[in-house]
Every structure is written in C-alpha cells, then in structure tokens.
Amino acid sequence: MIRYGIFDVDGTLLDSMGVWHQASVRLLEKHGVTIPQGLDETLEVLSLRGGSEYLSRHLLPQLTPEQVREQIDQQLREEYRLRIPLKEGVRQQLERLHRQGTRMIIATAGIDQCARDALTRLEILPFFEGMVNCADVGADKNSPQVFLEAARRLGAAPHEAVVFEDAPHAIRTAQKAGFPVIGIPDCWAMARRQDVAELCGELYLPHWSQLEELERRMFP
C-alpha cells in the first residue's frame, strides 16, 4: 500500500502540457518573435518564474519577467478554470487511494490558482491535504526542496512518500533525494517517454488504470 503520495499536476494529473506550450508560443508570436528550436525543452525544466525570466532575458527584453508572467497567466487562467481535463484514469485511482487511507499532497511548479481552479472544477482537490509550489520554497524542480517540503507537511520521510511525476528532470531530482518515483508518460512529450521509462524502471506507469496492479506488486 502507498501510505503517502506527492503528486505533480501538469502532465501528471492534468492533460495540460499543450496549453503551456501554446501560451508561450502565442506570447512570442504576439511580439513578432520567431520561435527558437528547442524552446519546449528549455522551458520544461523551469518553474513559471524561471521560464518568465528566461523569456524576458533572451527573447522578450522589452518585457520584465513580471510582465511576461502576467501575460502567460492571463492566457492560462481561463483554460484551467473551464476546459483542461484530467488524464484518463486519474479520478478512479485517486478515489481508490483516498478510500484506502493514502495521504496525498500536491507539489507543482505551475500556477497555484490555476491548479486549484482546475482541481476544484474536476472535484478532486478534496483528496489532497494541501499544495506546495516551487515558488513557496524558492527553487524549481531541479532542486528537491519542493518534494522535501511536501513530505515534511505529510510527516513522511522521503523513502516513505511516493512521488508521481512526468518530467525526467524532476524524476531525477526526487530519486536523488531518496523518493521512490512513479513515472507518468505524457502525450505532449512523446520524445521523453523513453527517458521516463528508463529512469523509473518497474515504477513506470504506462496508464493510470494500471496503478492498482503496480501498487500491489511494488508496495505490498
């Protein structure tokens, strides 16, 4: 049984990664900036704050990082509030984990209010005991601080708390800090699925519907 779970939001619980890509692209196109090759790979390892600073410094020098963030925020808020769906199978597994007594918390690099709006609309926010944002700890997921703080709030040691993640850099970070990590593939990042599978090994979860079987096998 999984006693403690730490859950990423975008690409793990929500099918939202495409919206983030589109928001950055639309902002750059609005200001007449050619989309550089590899932009997605650059931004995916950064928090919203870090991504806004990168875009301001390298591609949109006429905007401050705060202005970049606000313009991205404006694009994202309506999508989260009204449209972004859960990934298939998430609700059933969260309901099952909740019934069996698993204590759960969110650890995200995204926008708190956007995540809350989507998880409230989708009626899964009550399953979680709280939310820790990278902004709360002053570091993105290249640092373990957001995972360590989430575990602290649950009263769990790293080896007791299972992290659910879709991003290879975040998976590596959590593993190095001693967390078992269940890797979730994301349809917007097909090229990195192999990385996630290799990093997580037997804890790779091809589809949420397979979590109960994986849990029985790996967390008896």
Side-chain angles (χ1 to χ4, degrees), residues 2 168 197 199 202 211:
I2 295 174
L199 284 166
E202 291 185 288
L211 177 60

Side-chain angles (χ1 to χ4, degrees), residues 4 11 15 22 27 52 57 109 119 132 134 157 179 208-209:
Y4 305 97
D15 189 7
Q22 292 160 11
L27 179 59
S52 299
R57 183 180 304 117
L119 300 182
V132 185
C134 285
F179 292 89
W208 273 98
S209 62

Side-chain angles (χ1 to χ4, degrees), residues 20-32:
W20 282 82
H21 167 77
Q22 292 160 11
S24 299
V25 167
R26 282 197 295 263
L27 179 59
L28 293 173
E29 289 177 342
K30 173 183 174 182
H31 291 277

Side-chain angles (χ1 to χ4, degrees), residues 89-98 208-209 211-212:
V90 165
R91 178 183 302 282
Q92 294 88 337
Q93 293 304 319
L94 292 180
E95 288 174 345
R96 183 186 64 79
L97 291 170
H98 182 69
W208 273 98
S209 62
L211 177 60
E212 187 172 4

Side-chain angles (χ1 to χ4, degrees), residues 42-142:
T42 298
L43 294 179
E44 74 176 1
V45 303
L46 302 173
S47 66
L48 178 61
R49 178 180 297 176
S52 299
E53 290 172 352
Y54 174 88
L55 291 172
S56 173
R57 183 180 304 117
H58 297 285
L59 298 170
L60 295 166
Q62 69 273 36
L63 301 179
T64 66
E66 292 73 23
Q67 289 171 325
V68 171
R69 177 168 180 165
E70 178 58 30
Q71 292 193 32
I72 290 177
D73 277 1
Q74 290 173 359
Q75 292 189 55
L76 294 174
R77 285 173 192 152
E78 184 175 3
E79 294 293 327
Y80 278 84
R81 187 170 58 85
L82 299 176
R83 285 183 283 275
I84 288 174
L86 285 173
K87 298 187 78 170
E88 187 177 357
V90 165
R91 178 183 302 282
Q92 294 88 337
Q93 293 304 319
L94 292 180
E95 288 174 345
R96 183 186 64 79
L97 291 170
H98 182 69
R99 286 196 304 269
Q100 75 180 20
T102 300
R103 296 180 60 194
M104 298 181 280
I105 193 168
I106 295 292
T108 179
I111 304 168
D112 263 16
Q113 193 56 54
C114 286
R116 290 183 190 281
D117 285 347
L119 300 182
T120 298
R121 169 175 54 83
L122 295 163
E123 300 181 340
I124 64 168
L125 189 62
F127 293 138
F128 300 99
E129 296 188 18
M131 181 180 299
V132 185
N133 193 289
C134 285
D136 298 332
V137 299
D140 61 30
K141 287 185 176 179
N142 290 298

